Amino acid sequence: MSLNKKQKKQIDVARQKILKLRQRLTGAKEQMDDPQEVKNLEQEIATHEQAIKKIQEAS
């Protein structure tokens, strides 16, 4: 499994987005102003995690 530079960058960017989304998710769970926001954030995190898996499997 050898990733090229572009793939490594894509994974790095996705991981950074996941970290930020998890922080927002924690805040959203504490506030619970909008229950839909929690679902949206969880879905977005799952999407980025799938993208990482797809890149890793493709190599």
Side-chain angles (χ1 to χ4, degrees):
M1 181 172 127
S2 179
L3 300 172
N4 64 31
K5 253 185 179 177
K6 183 179 176 183
Q7 290 169 321
K8 287 179 184 178
K9 182 66 176 176
Q10 288 173 330
I11 290 173
D12 186 45
V13 168
R15 286 186 176 146
Q16 289 176 7
K17 287 181 182 179
I18 289 170
L19 285 174
K20 289 179 185 176
L21 288 168
R22 285 194 175 135
Q23 289 174 342
R24 285 180 54 200
L25 180 60
T26 300
K29 284 183 177 178
E30 288 175 7
Q31 283 302 120
M32 288 305 273
D33 292 335
D34 182 10
Q36 188 62 39
E37 183 182 11
V38 172
K39 290 179 184 176
N40 292 343
L41 291 170
E42 288 173 340
Q43 187 175 12
E44 207 172 331
I45 289 169
T47 302
H48 288 298
E49 288 173 342
Q50 283 180 327
I52 290 172
K53 272 188 185 176
K54 187 176 180 182
I55 292 168
Q56 290 174 335
E57 289 172 356
S59 62

